Amino acid sequence: MQGELIDGVPVLWAEEPGPFEAVLIFGSGILDEPLAVRGAMRLVAHLAESSLPRRNHPSRDWQDLETTYFAASGSPEQVVGYLEGICRALARLPLDRLAHEAEVLGTADLSPVSEVAQCLLWGRYGHSGPGSANHEGPGLHGISAEEVRSAAARVFHRDNAALVLTGPPPEGLRLPLPEGERPAVRAAAPEVITGAVWFASDVPDPGMSWSGDPGNPALLLSHYVFRERLVQALRHRNGLSHEIRDVHLPLGPGRAEFIFWPDSREGHEQRVAELMWQEALRLASEDPTEAELAREVTAYRERAATVERPVDELLEAAGCLLVDRDYQDLEARLESLARVAPEQLRTAFATALRTAVVTVPNGLHLELPQLDGRPVPALTCNAYGDPAPGTVFRPKRTDRLRYRDLRGAQLVLTDDGIWHRAAPDDVHYVAFAEASALIECENGRLLLGGTHCVIDVDESLYPGAARASAAADAAVPPRLRFRAPGFRAE
């Protein structure tokens, strides 16, 4: 791997056979967008791509939680032309095409992680940080031209960029990006849930995750050992899963989420979840064998040699550079993995398992033991007693008489936030100061807390609740407010 600066942009390259490839990376992703402008960076990227002349070589843009990418392959001359064109286009976006490109992007799946992974992130982080990855925000049509322009100036500049190439920089390569201010180092998102929990959600398959330091070689190796054990248990011994899907997502300094979501034979989702937990307990309580560790280190090396390519390693290095994460090259990683002892792996995994989050499809109920024998609790955000004194709004008398589940329902507006009681033992609260978003809907407002609570200020259900909506509008900062997709106020 070699490097140099071109027009102030770090360029990393290594020789690789095949077409010449380039990936221009910006160190900002979905985690860097408040919900109120979720999608602005994707619109910037798509507007820039769409403004280039027709190209007879492959190119595309995409985004993950931490970074945004533009990639092209072809002859060196074609790639040079693409890179210069995209850099210039980012500085003069065709905003007159904003509505059209929002329509085009509306047909694509823009989520960087799976549906199950999104739910697991929400389980740990609530509605903030990585937990908001499954929320579309205002929708692409709710993003204004000014918000797109602001995202372009904040993100797409030379001080937030890096370039990787599969060969030395061609003669004449220019990267005419504007200057900008390097974004502050992204702090690790606060975890709402730090102990093991399970919950049911609208997912097709079960999944589980745990949180830990991706720089810990014992924890990283445990990811691969656990994956192979799931393959043996779920696929080969019980025939319940065909594919064991997994990922570990870096989420800030010293933290990543290790996620597994095996597909499941219909009707066997609960059994898959229970077997997955049994394998986790076994790995956390019994040392793996030396041979098992050696096989996974060998598999890691072989994947790097036969599946991954030099450009993948370049992307890892460039990503670490942009988000201020320590980079360790492949050989150093292999050496650190080879030094992991069975006891170290078991200890690292047992520690991580205390942070486990498990989700299953709605309608299922789990009873899982922790390592100390205590049950894994169900996730709940209902941690409140009676609502504080305030202005009380209740459903209309006729509705309370007609619908049993509304008889105890009430909204309570206080100076600091809004309470909702659905039943005597089902009470929720969101403080205005801790809100992650306020969504304007057809019938009122949705107030999202920083944890898992959502307060539905339904003005059609609670007469007079427009007062609560107005109080929320006044208290929640404008940068956290937006209209629900498809809703346009008169």
Side-chain angles (χ1 to χ4, degrees):
M1 184 185 303
Q2 303 185 56
E4 58 185 271
L5 279 178
I6 295 179
D7 293 331
V9 176
V11 179
L12 305 178
W13 60 274
E15 294 280 4
E16 183 173 350
F20 188 68
E21 294 184 57
V23 184
L24 181 61
I25 314 168
F26 294 90
S28 301
I30 286 176
L31 291 182
D32 303 291
E33 281 189 315
L35 274 180
V37 293
R38 176 66 48 80
M41 283 193 279
R42 283 308 308 269
L43 282 169
V44 171
H46 202 66
L47 283 166
E49 275 271 3
S50 68
S51 69
L52 299 183
R54 174 178 170 176
R55 300 175 297 286
N56 296 320
H57 60 91
S59 67
R60 68 185 183 109
D61 64 90
W62 75 98
Q63 186 179 46
D64 60 25
L65 294 178
E66 292 192 306
T67 40
T68 303
Y69 305 84
F70 297 87
S73 62
S75 70
E77 294 75 20
Q78 288 172 323
V79 171
V80 164
Y82 170 82
L83 290 171
E84 183 169 349
I86 205 71
C87 289
R88 295 193 186 281
L90 288 167
R92 50 172 190 265
L93 297 171
L95 292 172
D96 58 314
R97 292 180 53 82
L98 181 57
H100 175 79
E101 296 305 330
E103 288 281 357
V104 174
L105 269 180
T107 66
D109 180 8
L110 303 181
S111 175
V113 293
S114 75
E115 186 178 359
V116 179
Q118 290 171 11
C119 280
L120 290 166
L121 291 172
W122 174 84
R124 187 177 310 285
Y125 296 98
H127 295 116
S128 59
S132 70
N134 65 337
H135 203 298
E136 64 178 327
L140 296 175
H141 284 289
I143 306 293
S144 69
E146 182 53 41
E147 287 163 340
V148 170
R149 188 182 294 111
S150 174
R154 185 180 70 254
V155 172
F156 298 97
H157 54 78
R158 69 181 61 171
D159 297 290
N160 193 35
L163 175 67
V164 304
L165 303 171
T166 58
E171 186 177 350
L173 174 60
R174 298 265 64 85
L175 301 170
L177 290 166
E179 294 182 2
E181 184 175 344
R182 179 76 180 269
V185 176
R186 184 189 299 111
E191 296 175 310
V192 173
I193 297 297
T194 55
V197 296
W198 76 270
F199 65 100
S201 57
D202 187 17
V203 292
D205 298 301
M208 79 176 280
S209 67
W210 59 83
S211 179
D213 182 359
N216 179 346
L219 187 59
L220 183 61
L221 189 57
S222 75
H223 177 104
Y224 299 109
V225 170
F226 183 65
R227 185 188 188 284
E228 179 58 24
R229 288 192 175 188
L230 288 186
V231 169
Q232 296 302 320
L234 298 178
R235 181 175 181 177
H236 297 306
R237 290 201 298 271
N238 290 280
L240 297 177
S241 295
H242 175 262
E243 183 180 7
I244 312 300
R245 295 159 292 189
D246 64 296
V247 67
H248 72 272
L249 299 172
L251 296 175
R255 183 185 298 167
E257 199 73 15
F258 297 78
I259 302 176
F260 290 82
W261 66 105
D263 59 8
S264 307
R265 280 174 48 198
E266 187 173 356
H268 295 269
E269 292 85 0
Q270 177 150 341
R271 181 59 178 154
V272 167
E274 291 168 347
L275 284 171
M276 185 162 51
W277 187 255
Q278 287 176 21
E279 288 302 319
L281 288 179
R282 188 163 69 91
L283 184 57
S285 56
E286 302 172 7
D287 288 354
T289 65
E290 293 275 6
E292 195 173 11
L293 301 196
R295 282 196 301 270
E296 293 309 317
V297 173
T298 299
Y300 191 98
R301 180 184 296 276
E302 290 176 351
R303 281 193 300 271
T306 60
V307 179
E308 298 178 2
R309 303 164 51 216
V311 70
D312 297 314
E313 194 66 23
L314 291 168
L315 288 171
E316 172 69 16
C320 289
L321 175 67
L322 290 171
V323 300
D324 292 304
R325 189 165 57 241
D326 291 338
Y327 168 70
Q328 190 178 45
D329 66 33
L330 176 61
E331 285 305 316
R333 291 200 300 274
L334 284 164
E335 289 177 11
S336 64
L337 292 176
R339 289 195 297 269
V340 173
E343 183 181 0
Q344 290 176 305
L345 187 145
R346 176 186 55 77
T347 301
F349 187 77
T351 300
L353 192 61
R354 299 190 188 108
T355 72
V357 177
V358 180
T359 190
V360 290
N362 281 325
L364 300 183
H365 180 85
L366 293 179
E367 295 185 3
L368 307 175
Q370 299 186 62
L371 282 169
D372 60 7
R374 293 179 302 157
V376 175
L379 172 66
T380 176
C381 59
N382 180 29
Y384 305 102
D386 290 334
T391 304
V392 178
F393 307 94
R394 300 192 68 192
K396 290 180 286 190
R397 179 180 175 81
T398 53
D399 287 340
R400 298 201 305 272
L401 291 173
R402 183 179 303 172
Y403 304 109
R404 182 183 298 272
D405 59 351
L406 291 182
R407 291 176 185 175
Q410 60 180 223
L411 284 175
V412 181
L413 171 65
T414 69
D415 290 340
D416 301 322
I418 302 177
W419 295 75
H420 176 239
R421 167 178 274 162
D425 60 348
D426 187 8
V427 180
H428 304 269
Y429 171 66
V430 174
F432 294 137
E434 297 173 359
S436 62
L438 178 65
I439 307 172
E440 183 180 358
C441 305
E442 184 174 3
N443 295 325
R445 303 289 185 272
L446 283 176
L447 181 62
L448 276 61
T451 57
H452 299 98
C453 281
V454 179
I455 305 296
D456 185 359
V457 183
D458 188 340
E459 297 170 16
S460 66
L461 180 62
Y462 295 94
R467 179 176 171 186
S469 294
D473 289 344
V476 176
R479 63 185 177 82
L480 301 179
R481 302 200 308 257
F482 59 91
R483 293 176 180 171
F487 171 58
R488 296 292 180 267
E490 293 293 335

